[in-house]
Amino acid sequence: MQNDTSPHTNGHRDAQSNSYLSPNTDERLAAPPLYQGEADPNRTVVVCGAGGFIGGHLVADLLRQGYDTVRAVDIKTPDKWFQKFPQADNRSLDLREKDNCYRALEDADHVYNLAADMGGMGFIENNKALCMLSVTINTHLLMAARDMDVDRYFYASSACVYNQEKQDTPDVEPLAEEDAYPALPEDGYGWEKLFSERMCRHFREDFGVNTRVARYHNVYGPFGTYDGGREKAPAALTRKVIEAELSGDHEIVIWGNGEQTRSFQYIDDCVKGTQMITHSDIEYPINLGTSELVTINELVDTVADIAGITLDREYDLTKPQGVDGRNSDNTKIQEELGWEPSIPLRDGIEVTYEWIKAQMLEHREQEERSVFTLP
């Protein structure tokens, strides 16, 4: 069992005073690490998908721990990365190409594969082939990890691997790891994730690659996309509430009937849990999410209450809305690590709301588009 006692919500609820969210990268890196386990600064750590939401936060936390070489890799050019740190070895590489995976993993000890072509439900429902092509990323990275003797390889999977027939009611039973089989995952994106989980397993069994897999449940927080088509529900609904607040037109459109249920995990818990799982002895795919189940209407209630407004709601039943209910069963992560993600939704949404609002106001005044709103 591995215990970790890093900050709960970083002691901050105001995004403006939160050093983890400072516009100054040096101030962000001066904050205490979220993961406070043992770290060997002489190891080379590679983060694939480092220009994205979770990847940027992970790079920051690895740098806080004093690693000499943190290699940050993303398909996007660095000017479009959500977070970029000059202290990292930043590289723009298309990891769908096999040769680039070998370049990315040169001399690597630990690899975090968070790279994927993905987004919220609106994106994955309409881009199934693009989502499935991400299988080339994990395949080529695993081949490179095998051939270059990588010590540990983490793969970011998703709760979308779970059998959809077990998610057909809002009053859903929490999903345990074994509920992924018999297989009936989210079409496209979920199948790619499930197949890539199996690749990790068989590369471990056949070639000795020391793989770890976490099934992420609905991660949200600052420094993530909130507009443009790839945003997920917490960011999208927070943006809509802020738009209603700023415009004075207190009406928003909700996809579905608002009674769908989910659990939402704040980014700090995700970054901490990802590293705990990577450094653990857990060889099977394991849930990484909170068990705080809420309806979409309750999520909107939370954001509206923070904004201090009352909303009129229109429900659009023609839009993608995913399964009726999904929640994380955290029995195994509690048994394995003596820990589970536990930052309350209200606390995380308060920080996210303040950050998104500041972004929207800044870019409205500058009349330019934020990198966090690009399609």
Side-chain angles (χ1 to χ4, degrees):
M1 180 180 293
Q2 177 180 359
N3 289 292
D4 184 41
T5 55
S6 60
H8 181 56
T9 54
N10 305 334
H12 298 282
R13 292 190 180 183
D14 180 2
Q16 303 307 312
S17 64
N18 189 340
S19 58
Y20 290 84
L21 309 180
S22 170
N24 184 295
T25 57
D26 290 335
E27 290 182 4
R28 258 180 272 161
L29 297 184
L34 298 169
Y35 174 72
Q36 300 197 349
E38 293 184 5
D40 182 352
N42 296 316
R43 289 186 177 273
T44 295
V45 184
V46 180
V47 178
C48 303
F53 168 44
I54 301 173
H57 283 278
L58 179 58
V59 168
D61 209 55
L62 292 166
L63 289 170
R64 292 184 193 114
Q65 294 167 53
Y67 284 99
D68 291 336
T69 304
V70 177
R71 186 173 302 144
V73 182
D74 201 277
I75 190 173
K76 299 186 292 291
T77 55
D79 61 303
K80 293 183 173 62
W81 290 19
F82 291 175
Q83 297 189 70
K84 182 166 68 73
F85 300 92
Q87 296 88 343
D89 173 10
N90 298 310
R91 303 187 184 185
S92 178
L93 294 170
D94 183 351
L95 296 176
R96 294 171 298 188
E97 302 295 330
K98 182 179 176 180
D99 289 347
N100 286 338
C101 291
Y102 282 78
R103 294 188 186 99
L105 268 54
E106 184 179 1
D107 298 323
D109 295 298
H110 293 170
V111 175
Y112 291 89
N113 178 15
L114 286 74
D117 197 351
M118 56 85 68
M121 187 54 60
F123 179 83
I124 66 175
E125 279 287 306
N126 295 299
N127 295 276
K128 295 182 177 69
L130 287 178
C131 289
M132 293 201 73
L133 284 172
S134 294
V135 74
T136 59
I137 299 172
N138 191 56
T139 301
H140 292 148
L141 284 173
L142 280 169
M143 294 170 70
R146 175 198 61 190
D147 295 345
M148 305 180 83
D149 295 321
V150 166
D151 179 62
R152 194 150 295 211
Y153 181 97
F154 172 87
Y155 176 68
S157 187
S158 166
C160 288
V161 302
Y162 283 113
N163 188 315
Q164 293 185 84
E165 291 180 349
K166 296 180 180 291
Q167 305 170 78
D168 59 0
T169 174
D171 187 24
V172 65
E173 287 292 321
L175 294 162
E177 283 74 5
E178 55 269 22
D179 289 329
Y181 296 94
L184 188 62
E186 177 77 32
D187 198 11
Y189 178 69
W191 277 109
E192 185 276 320
K193 288 295 184 184
L194 192 61
F195 177 83
S196 292
E197 287 187 7
R198 303 296 293 193
M199 288 285 286
C200 289
R201 171 182 170 175
H202 295 310
F203 267 69
R204 184 185 75 251
E205 294 173 340
D206 294 357
F207 303 124
V209 179
N210 200 8
T211 57
R212 299 291 181 268
V213 177
R215 291 172 178 163
Y216 288 164
H217 287 250
N218 291 301
V219 186
Y220 73 97
F223 290 106
T225 184
Y226 60 87
D227 202 354
R230 290 181 182 253
E231 66 276 15
K232 296 189 175 182
L237 291 169
T238 299
R239 183 201 75 238
K240 290 180 179 182
V241 171
I242 295 169
E243 288 173 341
E245 176 190 1
L246 296 178
S247 69
D249 180 9
H250 294 176
E251 181 176 321
I252 68 166
V253 177
I254 297 172
W255 291 8
N257 62 11
E259 294 305 312
Q260 316 97 290
T261 54
R262 298 289 187 276
S263 62
F264 297 102
Q265 174 183 202
Y266 187 62
I267 182 62
D268 290 5
D269 272 342
C270 179
V271 169
K272 176 179 171 180
T274 292
Q275 294 174 86
M276 292 176 74
I277 292 166
T278 300
H279 291 281
S280 77
D281 296 325
I282 306 169
E283 293 185 338
Y284 57 88
I286 192 166
N287 282 333
L288 184 57
T290 70
S291 56
E292 182 186 356
L293 188 69
V294 297
T295 67
I296 296 300
N297 276 328
E298 288 170 336
L299 173 60
V300 174
D301 289 342
T302 299
V303 184
D305 186 61
I306 292 168
I309 62 175
T310 301
L311 295 167
D312 294 324
R313 307 176 191 197
E314 177 185 341
Y315 297 95
D316 188 345
L317 303 182
T318 69
K319 297 293 187 182
Q321 52 192 289
V323 295
D324 291 329
R326 177 180 292 153
N327 197 12
S328 179
D329 184 327
N330 287 346
T331 302
K332 284 189 169 61
I333 197 168
Q334 289 172 332
E335 292 174 350
E336 296 278 6
L337 301 179
W339 174 87
E340 67 175 315
S342 58
I343 295 175
L345 179 65
R346 171 88 188 198
D347 289 0
I349 288 294
E350 283 182 347
V351 177
T352 306
Y353 163 86
E354 293 292 346
W355 181 83
I356 292 178
K357 184 176 181 180
Q359 286 285 311
M360 292 173 67
L361 289 172
E362 175 186 350
H363 289 279
R364 185 172 70 171
E365 292 172 0
Q366 296 177 356
E367 297 183 347
E368 66 179 14
R369 192 166 188 180
S370 167
V371 67
F372 303 102
T373 68
L374 296 174

